[in-house]
Amino acid sequence: MLVPFLQRGIQLLLLPVHVLACLGLWDPFYKKVFPYIMAKLAPVYNHKVYRQKRELFSSLRKFAGPSGQLMLLEIGTGTGTNFQFYPPGCRLTCADPNPHFRTLLLKSLSENPHLTLERLVVAPGEDLQQIEDGAVDVVVCTLVLCSVTHSGKVLAEVLRVLRPGGAFYFLEHVAADQSSWTYFWQKVCDPVWRYFGDGCSLSRDTQKELEKTNFSELTLRHIRVSPHWLPTSPHIIGYAVK
């Protein structure tokens, strides 16, 4: 009973936001503001997980196709915070449902001339019909599966666009152990967190969704990102092979 009580208390504190959301006014406004917030926050987060990202993406090249070129799709590209970790010559397709990221994304591309942009796609991860079946060697998602409407549909699309033997790379904050205080606070904050995280859920069990998806191989590990008291601290990191 304590969780619903605290949830109501937080909702009362943020009543103006809640009212705007109910009227359908919050999301259109916040989608315009969110890219500039992420432009400030993403470098801070990247600094915290720099070593883990560098290690994770160091193996991207081994999934290049027969031509030797790496065709990479990033879902939820945002400001392009991962571009620095991609190998030279990588041919990149960027997909994001928020068109207001475009200016910041193009700025990041100009700062990473080792990459070649194939195309920009404005689409949610659940519906990537503009990308052909088996068209890419690698798909990347970082801090995206927490905020999509249906993570299972996103992963189904990942499998569809990957060529056989291609790989899906991920780094996601996830639900904590259900017996922990972290999970308690995740559940308390969940209803209002989505307002400021563009739909982000704190308590999504992304590992379970990955295990349910028909990958031939799944390699992941759990990490915590500082500060550990934040409800976004628990993460999973790894890759899955089609």
Side-chain angles (χ1 to χ4, degrees), residues 174-176 181-191 202-203 231-232 234:
V174 294
W181 277 108
T182 301
Y183 184 75
F184 172 82
W185 286 111
Q186 285 177 335
K187 297 301 289 184
V188 168
C189 297
D190 236 349
L202 290 167
S203 57
T232 53

Side-chain angles (χ1 to χ4, degrees), residues 8 56 86:
R8 297 293 184 273
L56 175 68
Y86 296 158

Side-chain angles (χ1 to χ4, degrees), residues 171-218:
L171 171 61
E172 299 285 341
H173 73 78
V174 294
D177 184 283
Q178 293 189 14
S179 64
S180 67
W181 277 108
T182 301
Y183 184 75
F184 172 82
W185 286 111
Q186 285 177 335
K187 297 301 289 184
V188 168
C189 297
D190 236 349
V192 295
W193 190 271
R194 62 187 176 87
Y195 295 144
F196 303 100
D198 199 21
C200 174
S201 171
L202 290 167
S203 57
R204 185 161 290 176
D205 194 347
T206 302
Q207 179 174 344
K208 186 177 291 184
E209 290 293 335
L210 285 164
E211 290 169 347
K212 285 163 48 180
T213 306
N214 192 29
F215 290 110
S216 65
E217 176 188 341
L218 175 61

Side-chain angles (χ1 to χ4, degrees), residues 219-232:
T219 302
L220 67 76
R221 62 190 178 95
H222 291 261
I223 62 172
R224 292 187 71 90
V225 176
S226 63
H228 291 180
W229 53 267
L230 280 179
T232 53

